[in-house]
Amino acid sequence: MTKNVFVQLLDVCKSFDDDEAIIKNLDLEIRQGEFLTLLGPSGCGKTTTLRMIAGFEIPTSGKIVIDEEDVTSKAPYQRCVNTVFQNYALFPHMNIFDNIAFGLKMKKTPKSEIKDKVHKMLKMVQLDGYENRMPSQLSGGQMQRVAIARAMVNNPKVLLLDEPLGALDLKLRKQMQLELKHLQKILGTTFIFVTHDQEEALTMSDRIVVMNNGIIEQVGTPEELYERPKTKFVATFLGETNILEGQVFKLKESEVLLQLEQEEDIIRIPNLNYELGDKFTVSVRPERIKIKLNPEEGDVWLQCKLKEKIYIGSNIKIVMLLKNGKEIVVNEPIGQNFEFLDENKNYFVTWKPDHTIVIKA
Ligand SMILES: Nc1ncnc2c1ncn2[C@@H]1O[C@H](COP(=O)(O)OP(=O)(O)O)[C@@H](O)[C@H]1O
Ligand SMILES: [Mg+2]
């Protein structure tokens, strides 16, 4: 086991009622004190995975280890984890103090200790002075803070959060993302966070697990996943990108020539034991591309024409067209003059070889 691994999923499978497996042979190591996010489209199995770590679902096969203890078939209350749900699940008939104190009361914690701990939590989630209010008197963001305080007051070793910000409007959501990340850093608790929002995952996480259809596509830091995606799914799910399909048509000693979408579009990539006919997906981020009248020495380039320019606030998005009709999206910061771009002229989209992301099919 790698050092500092705190939660471990070993070859975990899950199916419901003899149906096809929802989770397929999942192996995952979560480190102590990290902010780990399960990211993927709706239905890919994020909640099911989280519920198995929480103990609300038992794996069909495989093992779950928390803090060196096999908890695979243990009940939720026998694990040192707590869960925060998207719908808050506060007790409507209890005030905020009692909501947060609930777990401590169940454990028969002394009254004065409960009071201290609840007040410390209220302060931490910036709800000092709200203890006598009822949940119905709070905004969505405040209820979410209470839900987090209620989970954290029990001092869990792992906090599980299933799309906890999903019900908030965009502005509050962005604010809560930063608050939650800050809180996690202060407490040092291991957070396992679920979202389908790639921007949220990039903003908050130490590491992201990209899931698709019950399997893990890739695990890595936000930067690793964005800059060096290993699959086409990861390249397209995180951020915007341009995807081109290609095939090796010439082998050289240290590089190979890839033919992309059109006959004349040839690019060079390092030869990592590739063979003639090998198929590739090439991904290039819109912010890495420059439009030029003539490519410069060392550029990767493709011929194209202008389709349209779209202002999107901080950036201008320029859509170029390859001869085969394929669109190439280019992102440029505003403040530059693109008036010169003319629909009747020929241009080149260019980028540096380092920014060619090559994914073998
Ligand atoms: N209790 C259940 N019984 C049957 N199928 C389920 C159950 N829970 C989840 N599923 C199915 O498992 C798949 C993954 O669901 P879920 O883990 O909720 O995905 P996500 O959280 O990524 O949206 C979905 O197809 C869902 O319909
Ligand atoms: Mg879900």
Side-chain angles (χ1 to χ4, degrees):
M1 196 154 92
T2 324
K3 212 174 148 216
N4 287 335
V5 170
F6 199 66
V7 180
Q8 225 182 350
L9 279 70
L10 294 148
D11 203 18
V12 168
C13 298
K14 178 71 184 174
S15 45
F16 293 100
D17 323 316
D18 301 332
D19 281 348
E20 196 203 339
I22 302 289
I23 299 296
K24 298 156 195 155
N25 308 94
L26 214 70
D27 282 306
L28 180 62
E29 294 188 334
I30 300 158
R31 299 172 191 151
Q32 180 144 38
E34 82 173 321
F35 196 122
L36 183 109
T37 298
L38 304 180
L39 171 70
S42 177
C44 73
K46 306 180 294 295
T47 295
T48 304
T49 303
L50 203 73
R51 287 174 61 82
M52 287 191 287
I53 300 171
F56 298 120
E57 300 285 355
I58 307 295
T60 310
S61 65
K63 208 160 101 170
I64 297 179
V65 178
I66 301 177
D67 199 9
E68 298 184 353
E69 186 190 0
D70 184 344
V71 297
T72 313
S73 47
K74 293 216 156 153
Y77 68 89
Q78 293 173 312
R79 309 178 181 206
C80 50
V81 304
N82 255 297
T83 308
V84 176
F85 301 96
Q86 179 176 352
N87 59 6
Y88 321 129
L90 299 182
F91 305 116
H93 57 285
M94 288 184 197
N95 69 17
I96 301 313
F97 184 97
D98 290 336
N99 259 282
I100 299 175
F102 185 79
L104 297 173
K105 283 186 184 162
M106 296 297 284
K107 280 192 277 182
K108 307 250 184 295
T109 311
K111 265 201 173 141
S112 63
E113 196 183 325
I114 292 183
K115 207 171 159 197
D116 280 355
K117 284 189 168 164
V118 171
H119 278 118
K120 201 170 146 220
M121 271 298 135
L122 280 167
K123 207 171 215 155
M124 196 160 270
V125 298
Q126 298 171 37
L127 284 176
D128 245 355
Y130 281 71
E131 44 271 57
N132 294 321
R133 293 226 199 161
M134 300 304 282
S136 61
Q137 296 172 299
L138 299 184
S139 69
Q142 289 168 335
M143 281 197 274
Q144 191 50 266
R145 288 197 186 109
V146 174
I148 290 163
R150 187 180 59 175
M152 288 306 302
V153 82
N154 301 309
N155 201 21
K157 290 182 179 158
V158 184
L159 191 65
L160 308 174
L161 304 106
D162 193 355
E163 312 237 6
L165 309 179
L168 306 177
D169 65 58
L170 188 64
K171 193 167 171 220
L172 185 57
R173 187 176 174 131
K174 296 221 164 201
Q175 182 194 333
M176 285 293 289
Q177 287 171 1
L178 298 179
E179 279 185 23
L180 202 54
K181 188 175 163 66
H182 186 61
L183 190 67
Q184 191 267 341
K185 284 281 163 280
I186 294 173
L187 296 167
T189 309
T190 307
F191 274 33
I192 307 177
F193 186 90
V194 163
T195 184
H196 64 270
D197 179 339
Q198 50 96 14
E199 205 180 319
E200 183 161 283
L202 289 172
T203 308
M204 301 184 75
S205 322
D206 294 321
R207 289 194 307 152
I208 301 171
V209 178
V210 182
M211 292 181 66
N212 181 26
N213 207 5
I215 61 150
I216 293 177
E217 291 267 338
Q218 193 175 348
V219 183
T221 63
E223 193 183 340
E224 279 164 359
L225 295 179
Y226 190 84
E227 303 288 348
R228 293 183 292 288
K230 289 208 174 96
T231 68
K232 187 170 163 183
F233 181 85
V234 175
T236 51
F237 196 75
L238 276 102
E240 200 178 357
T241 198
N242 293 289
I243 293 289
L244 297 157
E245 303 299 342
Q247 193 167 5
V248 174
F249 90 105
K250 197 165 200 173
L251 292 172
K252 296 187 169 186
E253 202 160 307
S254 61
E255 61 179 18
V256 302
L257 300 190
L258 268 194
Q259 181 169 56
L260 296 185
E261 306 277 326
Q262 328 177 95
E263 259 177 47
E264 63 268 37
D265 292 335
I266 309 291
I267 70 166
R268 293 154 193 278
I269 60 167
N271 186 358
L272 306 172
N273 272 330
Y274 297 144
E275 292 182 15
L276 273 184
D278 277 353
K279 291 201 160 74
F280 288 87
T281 296
V282 167
S283 154
V284 191
R285 298 287 181 192
E287 66 272 21
R288 298 299 195 185
I289 303 179
K290 298 276 166 239
I291 300 165
K292 294 180 183 170
L293 272 167
N294 288 299
E296 287 161 41
E297 179 86 26
D299 280 345
V300 179
W301 51 266
L302 306 175
Q303 286 187 59
C304 60
K305 279 190 149 55
L306 172 69
K307 184 180 182 200
E308 59 181 337
K309 292 178 276 186
I310 307 158
Y311 288 89
I312 49 167
S314 58
N315 286 320
I316 174 167
K317 178 186 281 203
I318 304 169
V319 184
M320 305 298 285
L321 271 188
L322 299 182
K323 263 188 222 147
N324 69 356
K326 183 141 194 159
E327 294 185 355
I328 303 288
V329 176
V330 183
N331 254 344
E332 292 276 8
I334 52 160
Q336 304 172 70
N337 185 4
F338 290 104
E339 292 307 317
F340 74 90
L341 285 175
D342 168 341
E343 281 169 22
N344 300 314
K345 281 197 191 144
N346 290 316
Y347 297 97
F348 293 88
V349 280
T350 73
W351 64 89
K352 297 291 168 217
D354 280 356
H355 297 141
T356 309
I357 300 169
V358 181
I359 299 162
K360 194 155 184 290

